Amino acid sequence: MTSKTRVVVIGAGLAGVRLARRLGELGVSAVLVGDEEHTPYNRVLLAEVLAGRYAPEVIALPTPERLTRGRAVHIDRAERQVHFADGSVIAYDTLVLATGSNPVLPPLRGLFGPDRHELPAGVHAFRTMDDCLGLSEAVRHDSRAVVIGGGLLGVSAARALAERGAQVVLAQQSERLMERQLDPSASKLVLRHLKDLGVEVHTECRVRDVRCVDGAVRSVAMADGYTLDADLVVLACGVHPRVGLAQDAGLAVHKGVIVDDQLRTSDPHIRAIGDCAQHDGNVYGLAAPALEQADVLAELLAGGNRGANADAVADADGNAYADATRAPAGYTGTRALTRLTLTRPALASGTPLDLAAFGEHTPRPGDDVIQLADATRGTYRKVVVRDDRLVGGVLVGELGTVGALARAWEGAEPLPSDGGPLLHLLTNDGGS
């Protein structure tokens, strides 16, 4: 790996794979470098693998033609080279950081020790395929599993472990589940669904320490002194952007690697996309923005036409576009929708649960709110309208309305004054 390559992409997750494939389609030479031994995969579907619903190969991503494995350890910006742990070097014209994010490991007593830097046996993060396969191998019917964290990832992990027959306790520090995405009414429905699956949920509950015997977890202690026996502990406490490589290279980093509308970092020869990138103050940490950034950057690097842009834009070879009709418009942000499907286990009662959250679901003074709830069916639909425009919503239940409502929200067009079409969407289960 010594020849100079036009574009080098570090990170073989959703964003990196999408970018490499799109560049190939646009005739741009690109090398994709990933540090996991597995074929690139869709991280969003790891919970389905843990539940036993999908085999790992089912969630594999289409592999770009030029994929290599290696762990990047240093960026030499002066020479435009990336150095890898095995001593190899790749030179680049344009480097793209798609390094993703790392799981947050909470500062719990007993998690690490003065001479121990690895998680104790039985304690698992839930971020990578290795994490997923390790959990899948460890879980048994009637395993006592404690999931720490009640966000999107924690809820998904708890559901998957329950489906595998584990006795699951979910410990959430805040007052309700998925508080970042859902309002209180929607959170209650998620809580009810998990309880129907046999999951024991504790909210407003802070875990204090992990207790181990002979290097393996045996229990989890709460701040109030309550102790939970545990064969398995899953850390689902969120993620943080993986920015170490960028920081060591002297790039501007805040929460993530700071990028402009052209997805350029503070070094014009280095771009960043996906979970590691911070654009206009936002680190999205979601699949949809990562894929949109990859698509935009592919056209930027290929010199594609994404609309008028009066500013000169440098391509991967350093040539400036002066023609405003050829210069790509750049990335302006993503209106992201969060969606989670909690399917019914084969041996459990109850109904599947589908949920979606988008935009602002907390109304401001003067906003109009349409809210429909059916306790018997376990459905809940709420949308917020401001100045005749749909600005956000939360939907829980067996949904057939997400696609149409999301399009109405993304389009930001005025709604009909009689509200009839919007009410029809909220009460219609048939479409998608």
Side-chain angles (χ1 to χ4, degrees), residues 8-25:
V8 175
V9 183
I10 305 297
L14 279 171
V17 169
R18 177 68 158 255
L19 175 62
R21 290 187 63 230
R22 288 291 296 129
L23 287 173
E25 293 167 359

Side-chain angles (χ1 to χ4, degrees), residues 190-316:
V190 175
L191 175 63
R192 189 176 89 176
H193 179 83
L194 289 180
K195 287 184 174 180
D196 286 345
L197 298 181
V199 178
E200 181 181 334
V201 179
H202 296 264
T203 56
E204 297 184 278
C205 172
R206 185 171 64 84
V207 175
R208 186 179 61 193
D209 55 317
V210 173
R211 295 176 179 174
C212 301
V213 176
D214 296 329
V217 67
R218 289 293 178 265
S219 64
V220 170
M222 306 299 176
D224 62 3
Y226 188 70
T227 299
L228 297 169
D229 291 336
D231 305 307
L232 296 173
V233 173
V234 180
L235 304 175
C237 306
V239 297
H240 55 80
R242 193 176 176 186
V243 297
L245 194 63
Q247 286 179 318
D248 291 345
L251 300 178
V253 172
H254 184 216
K255 292 179 290 185
V257 184
I258 297 173
V259 297
D260 62 12
D261 288 355
Q262 308 299 308
L263 297 165
R264 290 177 295 210
T265 69
S266 52
D267 182 329
H269 298 288
I270 303 178
R271 316 276 180 128
I273 58 174
D275 288 5
C276 71
Q278 177 179 335
H279 174 266
D280 196 24
N282 296 310
V283 178
Y284 290 100
L286 297 170
L291 296 175
E292 183 175 351
Q293 289 170 6
D295 288 343
V296 170
L297 183 56
E299 294 200 28
L300 286 167
L301 296 179
N305 181 13
R306 287 187 64 87
N309 185 344
D311 296 329
V313 178
D315 70 4

Side-chain angles (χ1 to χ4, degrees), residues 123-146:
V123 179
H124 301 261
F126 188 42
R127 182 64 183 164
T128 68
M129 180 63 78
D130 281 339
D131 295 334
C132 181
L133 296 179
L135 261 173
S136 294
E137 184 177 347
V139 68
R140 300 286 185 271
H141 187 76
D142 287 336
S143 291
R144 298 167 300 178
V146 176

Side-chain angles (χ1 to χ4, degrees), residues 42-48 50 126-127 147-161 170-172 174 176-182 187 190 193-194 234-239 275 284-289 336-342 353-358 395-396:
N42 185 348
R43 200 180 309 275
V44 174
L45 296 175
L46 281 176
E48 299 301 313
L50 177 58
F126 188 42
R127 182 64 183 164
V147 177
I148 302 175
L152 180 65
L153 186 61
V155 168
S156 299
R159 185 272 302 176
L161 290 170
L170 188 153
Q172 165 72 324
S174 63
R176 55 189 173 86
L177 299 176
M178 295 184 64
E179 62 174 0
R180 292 182 58 189
Q181 294 89 10
L182 305 181
S187 290
V190 175
H193 179 83
L194 289 180
V234 180
L235 304 175
C237 306
V239 297
D275 288 5
Y284 290 100
L286 297 170
L337 179 146
T338 298
R339 186 161 187 180
L340 174 66
T341 298
L342 302 174
L353 181 70
D354 198 8
L355 64 87
F358 55 94
L395 313 172
V396 181

